[in-house]
Amino acid sequence: HLHVAFKKNACNYHEVLQDINLKVNSKEVVGLIGESGSGKSVLGLSIVGLLTPPGSITQGKIWLKEHPLHALA
């Protein structure tokens, strides 16, 4: 279950994604829709490893088959 937050200052974070859990099967296509500001881009950047500070994955891991993508960053 993925959690992503943005650092507000030295001690505080603002959690923008909470408890995200997706499973996409082989040969399956998934579209992500939502209101403006709902976190679609943050989720996409997190999945492909392009989330930059002040954003960070604070909890959870991202896997592709049996390979942890978070370990490749």
Side-chain angles (χ1 to χ4, degrees):
H1 298 264
L2 190 69
H3 293 251
V4 176
F6 281 80
K7 193 170 189 175
K8 292 169 66 173
N9 55 45
C11 300
N12 296 314
Y13 285 83
H14 176 69
E15 195 167 49
V16 294
L17 296 179
Q18 303 170 0
D19 203 29
I20 304 297
N21 188 22
L22 300 172
K23 181 178 181 180
V24 180
N25 295 311
S26 179
K27 299 183 182 180
E28 189 173 34
V29 177
V30 175
L32 188 60
I33 61 171
E35 301 265 342
S36 177
S38 64
K40 300 175 302 291
S41 295
V42 171
L43 179 57
L45 291 169
S46 298
I47 290 170
V48 297
L50 295 177
L51 185 65
T52 58
S56 65
I57 295 173
T58 56
Q59 186 177 338
K61 297 177 180 171
I62 300 170
W63 294 79
L64 176 61
K65 297 186 180 181
E66 66 278 353
H67 305 288
L69 294 183
H70 56 277
L72 300 176

